[in-house]
Amino acid sequence: MTETATKRIFAYKICTPVANLEFDQMNKDVYLKQIFEPFLGEIMNQNVNVKALREEGKFFDINSINQNEDADYLEGVFHTTRYGTQNDIIEITTQAIQGHVLPTQGVRFDVHFVLCRRTGLLLVESDPFRVATRNTIDTYLSKKQTLVKKFIEDYNKENYPQFVYDSMVFTIESVMDQGFYDQLAEISKVKEVSGYMEVTDDGQNAAISKFKKDAAGDEHNVSEVTEFKISLINSVRNSGLKHVKRFIDNSLDLEKFSRFEVSGYDNMNKKRTASFNVKPVSFYVNVGINGNGVINSAQLIQEMVNIAKEDNPLDSEG
C-alpha cells in the first residue's frame, strides 16, 4: 500500500490595483496577469546572489515558475529555510553527532505553489519552517517592485484612463471566510482591537508563562487560563486606530490568534462591536510519499489545481 501524507494548503489573494484617472476611482480587487506575470519573470532572471531574501534568520526564494498543463495556472516552488545558529546533526536512534549545520547553512524545504492566472488566487503548501507566509512573500515581492516599472509604463500608455501606480504594483492578502472584512469595514472609527489566543500550554508564549501557574505548582500564579487577550486602544476623543486591517493581516501570519474583536463607531456615530473567529481559508489534501518521506510533487500540484478549479474562494467574491 502506498503511504500518504496530509498537506495543508493556504489560500492568498493577489491583486494589482488599477486607478481610473477620469473618474478618480481605484479598483483594488482586480488581478492583471499582464503586469504580475512579467514581474515574476524579471525576478527569475535575477542573479542568484541577489534574488533570494535573507532576513532575520529566514531564507526565501522563488526557485521555479512554470506553465501548468492547464493554461489557466502557473505552478512553481519556493525554497525556504532558517539559518543563523550552529546546530548538530544527529542520528536519531543513537543520537550520535553526524555533523554540523553552520550559521550560514540551512536545511532546504521545497514549498509548492499554484497561481490562478484568471483570479490571482495563490495556493501555497504549508511550510514547516513557517517562512513561506503571506508576510514573507509580500516582503520579498515588495523589495523587487522596481523590476516591473517598464511593464507598468507600457500598460499605462496602452490603457488610458486605466492607470497602475508603480508604488502600488500589487497586494497580497490571506483569503478569509466570507464577510470577514465586510464586518471590519462597517466600523469607520476603531477605538479598540483585541486579539485572543487559546492557551494550551505554557511553552507557547513567554508572556503567558509569566502569569500562568506552572507544573511545579506555584500557588501565587494564575491557573486555569484558557485564553490570552492582547488589546490595542485609542483613548483620544474623535480619533481612532489606523491601519487595523494591516495589523490583522500581519497577525494572521503568526497563526496564534483564534479570534478578533473590534469596537468603535460607524458613520452615524453609533457604537458598534464586531467579534469574529479568525478562519483563513485553507484546504487539506492527501498525497503519496516515498520511502524517504518525499511527497509526490506532481500529485500535490494537481490537487492544488483541482482546488483552484472547483473550490476557488475568489469566484464567490464578486
Side-chain angles (χ1 to χ4, degrees):
M1 182 192 298
T2 303
E3 290 191 44
T4 61
T6 300
K7 303 294 293 185
R8 187 177 186 184
I9 309 299
F10 289 98
Y12 302 108
K13 174 183 178 180
I14 293 178
C15 295
T16 46
V18 179
N20 186 306
L21 299 182
E22 286 188 354
F23 295 97
D24 193 25
Q25 295 176 339
M26 175 68 77
N27 185 349
K28 296 182 179 181
D29 293 321
V30 67
Y31 173 71
L32 297 175
K33 64 180 180 182
Q34 61 266 48
I35 293 290
F36 196 75
E37 290 182 16
F39 177 34
L40 296 177
E42 289 298 302
I43 292 175
M44 293 303 297
N45 289 333
Q46 283 193 300
N47 185 284
V48 67
N49 294 326
V50 299
K51 189 161 74 74
L53 175 72
R54 303 171 183 87
E55 195 171 88
E56 298 178 351
K58 295 185 291 187
F59 175 95
F60 177 89
D61 191 23
I62 303 177
N63 177 64
S64 66
I65 303 174
N66 297 295
Q67 175 69 60
N68 183 262
E69 292 179 358
D70 189 315
D72 281 339
Y73 305 97
L74 298 179
E75 62 180 69
V77 174
F78 298 135
H79 278 174
T80 69
T81 193
R82 289 186 179 268
Y83 65 93
T85 59
Q86 180 170 317
N87 292 290
D88 294 334
I89 301 172
I90 65 169
E91 201 286 318
I92 60 170
T93 304
T94 64
Q95 299 191 42
I97 296 176
Q98 302 294 306
H100 307 285
V101 177
L102 301 178
T104 56
Q105 298 175 332
V107 178
R108 190 190 78 196
F109 189 79
D110 291 354
V111 179
H112 299 82
F113 68 88
V114 164
L115 175 63
C116 177
R117 305 178 66 199
R118 179 174 55 83
T119 64
L121 175 71
L122 176 66
L123 297 174
V124 180
E125 175 189 5
S126 178
D127 177 11
F129 294 130
R130 294 178 65 181
V131 171
T133 63
R134 184 205 65 84
N135 191 50
T136 300
I137 298 170
D138 181 61
T139 299
Y140 177 83
L141 295 176
S142 294
K143 289 179 179 290
K144 301 179 180 296
Q145 282 193 133
T146 55
L147 296 176
V148 77
K149 187 173 182 179
K150 177 185 180 301
F151 302 101
I152 292 176
E153 291 175 349
D154 291 344
Y155 176 86
N156 290 340
K157 288 178 183 177
E158 298 170 4
N159 294 277
Y160 184 85
Q162 308 300 318
F163 191 87
V164 174
Y165 291 96
D166 58 17
S167 60
M168 190 168 56
V169 179
F170 72 93
T171 60
I172 176 169
E173 300 177 349
S174 297
V175 178
M176 305 304 298
D177 279 348
Q178 192 71 27
F180 179 87
Y181 288 116
D182 292 339
Q183 294 181 65
L184 186 62
E186 292 179 359
I187 303 177
S188 58
K189 189 186 300 179
V190 176
K191 301 300 290 184
E192 180 174 352
V193 55
S194 300
Y196 294 80
M197 290 180 287
E198 295 179 352
V199 177
T200 56
D201 60 78
D202 288 345
Q204 73 176 171
N205 188 292
I208 295 174
S209 300
K210 296 293 288 185
F211 295 97
K212 280 187 64 184
K213 182 177 181 180
D214 61 24
D218 185 348
E219 61 184 17
H220 300 293
N221 287 342
V222 177
S223 62
E224 306 302 325
V225 178
T226 59
E227 280 189 314
F228 194 75
K229 174 182 176 182
I230 297 175
S231 294
L232 304 178
I233 300 171
N234 177 291
S235 58
V236 179
R237 187 178 178 85
N238 295 325
S239 69
L241 295 169
K242 306 296 184 185
H243 309 302
V244 171
K245 181 175 177 295
R246 184 186 305 169
F247 165 75
I248 292 176
D249 283 343
N250 289 336
S251 298
L252 292 173
D253 293 323
L254 300 175
E255 299 176 18
K256 293 292 186 182
F257 291 96
S258 60
R259 62 189 177 98
F260 282 94
E261 188 173 273
V262 178
S263 62
Y265 299 89
D266 62 17
N267 289 325
M268 302 299 292
N269 210 33
K270 292 183 179 179
K271 192 168 184 178
R272 301 289 297 271
T273 298
S275 181
F276 39 81
N277 291 328
V278 175
K279 294 181 180 178
V281 173
S282 63
F283 305 88
Y284 292 88
V285 297
N286 293 320
V287 294
I289 57 174
N290 66 18
N292 291 322
V294 179
I295 66 169
N296 184 327
S297 58
Q299 184 183 2
L300 175 61
I301 289 293
Q302 186 57 53
E303 291 287 351
M304 296 167 77
V305 170
N306 291 343
I307 291 170
K309 283 183 177 181
E310 302 167 11
D311 296 301
N312 190 328
L314 302 187
D315 282 336
S316 62
E317 286 195 351

